[in-house]
Amino acid sequence: MVFTTTPPELTEEVRVSVPAIDANLQHSLSKHLFVTGRLQTQFVQSHLALGLRWATPLTDRLFFSAGNDVAVWFGALKIKDVFNSQAYGYQTFPHASLGYRLTRDLRLTVRSELMIDLYYRSQVGSLAVEYDRRQINGLAFTVVLEQPFYDNQHVSLGLRAAYSNFNWQFWSLYDTFDRNLFYPQLFFSFIL
């Protein structure tokens, strides 16, 4: 589960933390190369990513990885016959992570990533807006703690701090300004 809080610049007095289902898959292609997949959804909008990650130990306690994810997001919101809106876009997320084994059972990972918009299209009724310029939209930093939970399963708790001009989860709010906003995210996951 991922909880993202709405910035006050978008929703004024109302602060909503919208939970999203977050499913991550990773498959080893070689000793150091992995293919990754991720689905985040809130049913009104979804985000699907596919990527490659290269990882290697630096010491017996310190680990490094770098990669890139390409994602498509889409959403549709229809309220009776009054409001009919849909949008979708493509983004890419180059990232690097550093992991450290604090104790035998506790691991800490920090990750930094760029958010690059590749394409955006939204439509309300018959009015459409489309951008196909490639630009850096923002950046994010993540801190994650991971520990064993039961048998071979692990649990992780993390905080992601994104500072960007656009967040796919809030596409339907249609901001009227062009500036970066802070999007804090808290996530909790089981690693099977």
Side-chain angles (χ1 to χ4, degrees):
M1 294 296 290
V2 176
F3 297 89
T4 304
T5 301
T6 56
E9 294 88 349
L10 287 178
T11 56
E12 296 177 359
E13 296 89 28
V14 179
R15 296 293 294 240
V16 179
S17 182
V18 183
I21 296 170
D22 187 10
N24 293 275
L25 299 172
Q26 179 172 286
H27 180 73
S28 173
L29 297 176
S30 70
K31 184 177 179 180
H32 297 286
L33 188 63
F34 301 87
V35 64
T36 60
R38 182 176 189 183
L39 170 67
Q40 290 182 317
T41 186
Q42 295 165 315
F43 304 108
V44 173
Q45 60 254 347
S46 297
H47 185 268
L48 182 62
L50 186 64
L52 282 176
R53 179 175 302 136
W54 178 81
T56 188
L58 299 176
T59 68
D60 63 333
R61 297 181 82 165
L62 188 64
F63 305 88
F64 174 78
S65 75
N68 188 51
D69 299 330
V70 177
V72 59
W73 63 269
F74 48 91
L77 185 59
K78 184 173 184 175
I79 302 172
K80 296 189 181 183
D81 293 329
V82 178
F83 188 77
N84 184 8
S85 177
Q86 55 268 340
Y88 66 92
Y90 304 101
Q91 294 178 300
T92 185
F93 301 88
H95 54 83
S97 300
L98 199 59
Y100 186 72
R101 189 166 22 108
L102 298 168
T103 67
R104 187 174 66 86
D105 291 334
L106 185 63
R107 294 175 178 89
L108 173 72
T109 302
V110 293
R111 173 178 161 145
S112 63
E113 63 187 283
L114 281 178
M115 294 178 266
I116 302 172
D117 288 339
L118 302 175
Y119 180 80
Y120 169 89
R121 186 179 199 290
S122 67
Q123 183 173 343
V124 178
S126 61
L127 179 62
V129 175
E130 183 175 21
Y131 301 106
D132 64 356
R133 59 180 181 256
R134 288 153 183 80
Q135 66 181 19
I136 295 176
N137 177 33
L139 51 97
F141 297 99
T142 305
V143 177
V144 182
L145 280 173
E146 177 189 328
Q147 69 179 34
F149 178 64
Y150 176 74
D151 200 21
N152 285 333
Q153 299 167 353
H154 289 72
V155 65
S156 68
L157 178 66
L159 177 66
R160 180 176 184 254
Y163 185 69
S164 66
N165 195 334
F166 174 74
N167 186 314
W168 67 272
Q169 291 175 304
F170 304 110
W171 65 271
S172 62
L173 297 179
Y174 296 108
D175 59 2
T176 57
F177 44 80
D178 185 19
R179 69 174 186 254
N180 287 0
L181 299 175
F182 177 61
Y183 297 93
Q185 291 182 320
L186 178 66
F187 59 90
F188 176 78
S189 59
F190 289 102
I191 304 168
L192 306 177

